[in-house]
């Protein structure tokens, strides 16, 4: 048989797998691709695959709906389903209902995959205590939270503390709110990357961010990446962050007289200059 033709048939009708040649049905890669095309093909895979948990987890990674075809005892198995959720968060929707009644299991699932949050029972998605507990496990789950939580400063800040990218999923008002963004970068400097554009040009916010995490310098505006005080604060937190200094500032330190022209505090510049020379290579003096 032609593999492409059989896969096309399976895409339209999962039961078509039973008509595939035995050599195809014994081919693990082919069968997994068939399941990716259509979860309804699972009942027609060879018996030995059904007994192989690694195969079933691989199937879940390609098509979580395939787990709806497995024995309920396996879908009640906490460890197996957590492993499946780790492969694809959507696998939570295939859990036996008894597992979905346990909040501790749901929180573990969200911890291994933020996408799992989208498949928790609807009443829990509206429960402030559960949502806060979930975001403390995995801040990236904020993406799937209700709008009322994505505009709640306390909830969003809890998420940002765990995952800086959570700020990307906060309400637009919060992402552009000076006081909130200042609190966010103080909690997690890397969240600067997901703040409103004007926040990354705000000196107070950028200073707070690089003091918390020097590498946050990478997300500051070009102008502030050339600010001596900002660079000194970033270097004090993480010397490697100076690779993100502005091109202008990096060029200054290819010139041994650069610090005489900048007008910035000498001690800070000397510190920055010493650190920059580790990351700007080679150093080519322009004035002999």
């Amino acid at each position: 048989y032609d593999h492409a033709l059989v896969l096309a048939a399976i895409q339209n009708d999962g039961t078509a797998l039973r008509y595939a040649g035995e050599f195809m049905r014994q081919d693990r890669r082919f069968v997994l691709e068939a399941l990716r095309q259509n979860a309804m093909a699972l009942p027609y895979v060879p018996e030995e695959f059904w007994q192989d948990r690694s195969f079933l987890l691989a199937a879940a990674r390609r098509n979580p709906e395939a787990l709806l075809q497995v024995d309920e005892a396996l879908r009640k198995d906490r460890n197996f389903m957590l492993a499946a959720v780790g492969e694809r968060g959507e696998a939570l929707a295939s859990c036996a209902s008894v597992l979905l009644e346990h909040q501790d299991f749901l929180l573990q699932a969200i911890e291994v995959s933020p996408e799992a949050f989208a498949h928790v029972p609807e009443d829990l998605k509206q429960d402030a205590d559960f949502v806060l507990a979930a975001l403390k496990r995995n801040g990236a789950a904020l993406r799937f939270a209700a709008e009322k939580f994505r505009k709640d400063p306390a909830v969003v800040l809890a998420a940002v503390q765990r995952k800086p990218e959570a700020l990307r999923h906060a309400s637009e008002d919060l992402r552009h709110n000076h006081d909130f963004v200042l609190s966010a970068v103080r909690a997690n400097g890397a969240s600067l990357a997901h703040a409103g554009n004007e926040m990354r040009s705000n000196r107070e916010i950028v200073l707070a961010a690089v003091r918390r995490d020097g590498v946050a310098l990478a997300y500051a505006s070009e102008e502030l990446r050339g600010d001596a005080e900002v660079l000194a604060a970033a270097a004090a937190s993480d010397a490697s962050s100076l690779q993100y200094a502005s091109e202008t500032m990096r060029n200054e330190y290819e010139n041994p007289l650069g610090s005489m022209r900048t007008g910035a505090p000498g001690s800070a510049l000397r510190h920055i200059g010493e650190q920059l020379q580790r990351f700007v290579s080679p150093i080519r003096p322009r004035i002999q």
Side-chain angles (χ1 to χ4, degrees):
Y1 295 101
D2 183 281
H3 283 62
L5 288 176
V6 174
L7 286 173
I10 291 170
Q11 185 174 23
N12 291 324
D13 180 2
T15 66
L17 180 61
R18 62 182 166 178
Y19 302 115
E22 187 64 19
F23 73 97
M24 286 188 180
R25 296 177 63 248
Q26 293 294 333
D27 183 333
R28 182 185 175 103
R29 292 177 61 184
F30 173 79
V31 173
L32 287 172
E33 177 58 23
L35 290 171
R36 189 183 71 80
Q37 297 282 350
N38 193 325
M40 299 303 293
L42 188 61
Y44 305 99
V45 306
E47 181 66 24
E48 59 266 31
F49 289 167
W50 278 91
Q51 307 303 320
D52 184 344
R53 290 196 173 197
S54 67
F55 171 82
L56 294 175
L57 289 174
R61 180 167 62 250
R62 289 161 176 79
N63 191 339
E65 292 183 1
L67 293 181
L68 290 171
Q69 308 297 316
V70 306
D71 187 77
E72 186 175 11
L74 195 56
R75 293 190 291 112
K76 288 180 179 178
D77 186 312
R78 188 186 189 104
N79 292 331
F80 174 79
M81 290 309 302
L82 281 175
V85 169
E87 297 289 344
R88 287 279 293 275
E90 302 95 312
L92 187 65
S94 301
C95 285
S97 58
V98 65
L99 281 182
L100 299 179
E101 296 171 2
H102 295 278
Q103 290 193 24
D104 61 330
F105 170 76
L106 295 174
L107 290 173
Q108 283 185 285
I110 292 166
E111 187 169 3
V112 299
S113 174
E115 288 80 9
F117 187 95
H119 302 282
V120 304
E122 288 300 321
D123 60 323
L124 290 178
K125 290 181 184 178
Q126 303 301 321
D127 184 311
D129 291 336
F130 177 82
V131 171
L132 192 57
L135 295 177
K136 286 180 178 179
R137 296 288 189 99
N138 193 333
L142 183 65
R143 173 184 174 188
F144 304 98
E147 183 180 2
K148 67 180 181 181
F149 296 118
R150 291 187 285 110
K151 61 171 63 173
D152 184 316
V155 171
V156 175
L157 193 58
V160 168
Q161 287 174 328
R162 295 294 295 173
K163 293 283 188 179
E165 61 268 29
L167 187 57
R168 181 194 316 161
H169 306 297
S171 68
E172 285 300 301
D173 285 347
L174 288 183
R175 292 181 61 246
H176 295 274
N177 181 287
H178 174 278
D179 291 344
F180 177 76
V181 173
L182 185 60
S183 296
V185 299
R186 283 173 174 166
N188 193 325
S191 65
L192 181 65
H194 308 289
N197 288 337
E198 75 280 9
M199 298 293 102
R200 287 181 271 148
S201 298
N202 183 284
R203 197 166 186 275
E204 181 183 16
I205 286 174
V206 170
L207 271 171
V210 300
R211 284 169 178 157
R212 180 68 176 177
D213 180 355
V215 177
L217 181 65
Y219 312 118
S221 66
E222 175 76 10
E223 179 182 0
L224 290 178
R225 287 189 289 110
D227 182 290
E229 185 180 358
V230 170
L231 292 176
S237 173
D238 184 341
S240 71
S241 65
L242 291 177
Q243 64 188 295
Y244 302 113
S246 69
E247 190 67 26
T248 299
M249 184 62 83
R250 289 167 68 91
N251 288 339
E252 286 288 335
Y253 284 98
E254 291 182 348
N255 183 336
L257 300 182
S259 62
M260 296 175 61
R261 299 201 311 272
T262 62
S267 59
L269 278 169
R270 282 194 295 276
H271 177 60
I272 297 167
E274 292 167 2
Q275 298 294 344
L276 271 176
Q277 290 192 27
R278 296 173 55 194
F279 301 101
V280 179
S281 178
I283 304 298
R284 300 183 301 278
R286 295 178 181 174
I287 297 179
Q288 305 299 327

